[in-house]
Amino acid sequence: GQNIDQPTEMTATEGAIVQINCTYQTSGFNGLFWYQQHAGEAPTFLSYNVLDGLEEKGRFSSFLSRSKGYSYLLLKELQMKDSASYLCAVRGSDQAGTALIFGKGTTLSVSS
Amino acid sequence: GAVVSQHPSRVICKSGTSVKIECRSLDFQATTMFWYRQFPKQSLMLMATSNEGSKATYEQGVEKDKFLINHASLTLSTLTVTSAHPEDSSFYICSARDSDAQPQHFGDGTRLSIL
């Protein structure tokens, strides 16, 4: 079966660094995605990993280890606006009709 | 970048009403679009995969006769919630991908409230 796990909630303070972990067990693998979702809004794309290693994109970085079925999203220099839900999602194959399977999301609360 | 437009953004209607939600890819052609549903404080659950020119593929537990999907062109998919009831109240989101190498892009979502 498919299983994607991430912590339910995390808290941090402005200016800090936070790491959100995601572990997955899927029948296939063709990429791991991180999305940010503010309450009541649609998800917005943050990052994509298909090979092992770290992808850096400004204040956000994402890491993947395929052998461990593990990824993390690293957020640096936290700002209040980073308070949101962060969704880890896996695509099981490279076929065009393959949807993303989402984890339950991690709600991040940033305080001053 | 790729843009997906979803309409309407919010619907409030009486029980028994049928509601149509449109999902358009504005600057690319999408042979495949995806429909998700999200209940409060829960993750996105895939409902169905919409295929241009053919029948949609529904996930287990999703009633195809209740959630009608039509993908008549490469830029438009519609989801019709037929005879909606209060338990169908949810946030419905569509997404599309313009090529295999690209991430899925989401519409803004439709918040459906059935009274």
Side-chain angles (χ1 to χ4, degrees):
Chain A
Q2 320 261 55
N3 195 41
I4 300 174
D5 286 320
Q6 50 182 130
T8 305
E9 294 180 338
M10 298 185 72
T11 59
T13 54
E14 266 189 308
I17 299 173
V18 71
Q19 177 175 311
I20 303 174
N21 296 323
C22 172
T23 57
Y24 64 90
Q25 295 169 322
T26 56
S27 54
F29 181 81
N30 191 249
L32 186 141
F33 300 77
W34 284 96
Y35 285 82
Q36 180 191 62
Q37 186 179 27
H38 285 99
E41 299 180 9
T44 55
F45 170 72
L46 290 179
S47 71
Y48 166 64
N49 296 70
V50 67
L51 299 176
D52 290 350
L54 187 68
E55 293 284 339
E56 296 187 81
K57 214 176 185 181
R59 292 191 300 116
F60 296 160
S61 303
S62 58
F63 172 82
L64 175 68
S65 169
R66 289 171 296 171
S67 62
K68 295 181 180 178
Y70 167 70
S71 172
Y72 67 72
L73 179 69
L74 192 71
L75 293 79
K76 303 176 186 176
E77 301 170 15
L78 281 174
Q79 302 173 11
M80 297 291 285
K81 67 178 182 178
D82 296 328
S83 294
S85 182
Y86 291 86
L87 308 175
C88 174
V90 172
R91 187 160 70 207
S93 84
D94 61 356
Q95 294 181 1
T98 303
L100 295 181
I101 305 300
F102 284 84
K104 293 184 177 180
T106 299
T107 300
L108 174 65
S109 300
V110 180
S111 58
S112 57
Chain B
V3 178
V4 176
S5 172
Q6 188 173 339
H7 178 81
S9 58
R10 185 171 180 89
V11 180
I12 302 173
C13 57
K14 294 180 180 179
S15 184
T17 307
S18 292
V19 178
K20 180 188 279 189
I21 303 170
E22 293 187 347
C23 180
R24 295 180 184 271
S25 55
L26 296 185
D27 53 358
F28 65 98
Q29 294 183 330
T31 55
T32 305
M33 293 184 177
F34 306 97
W35 287 96
Y36 291 85
R37 179 169 53 185
Q38 186 177 35
F39 292 105
K41 297 188 178 181
Q42 295 190 20
S43 188
L44 282 78
M45 298 300 296
L46 179 66
M47 297 177 66
T49 300
S50 173
N51 305 300
E52 189 268 334
S54 64
K55 291 182 180 180
T57 305
Y58 290 82
E59 295 300 298
Q60 193 172 11
V62 178
E63 299 176 56
K64 62 180 181 180
D65 294 330
K66 181 168 185 64
F67 298 100
L68 300 178
I69 291 173
N70 185 284
H71 195 149
S73 75
L74 288 171
T75 58
L76 174 64
S77 174
T78 61
L79 168 67
T80 301
V81 183
T82 61
S83 187
H85 292 285
E87 58 266 28
D88 299 321
S89 299
S90 187
F91 191 48
Y92 292 85
I93 312 176
C94 71
S95 72
R97 185 155 52 110
D98 60 357
S99 74
D100 289 348
Q102 297 301 315
Q104 284 180 218
H105 296 276
F106 287 86
D108 288 336
T110 298
R111 187 158 302 283
L112 177 62
S113 300
I114 307 299
L115 306 178

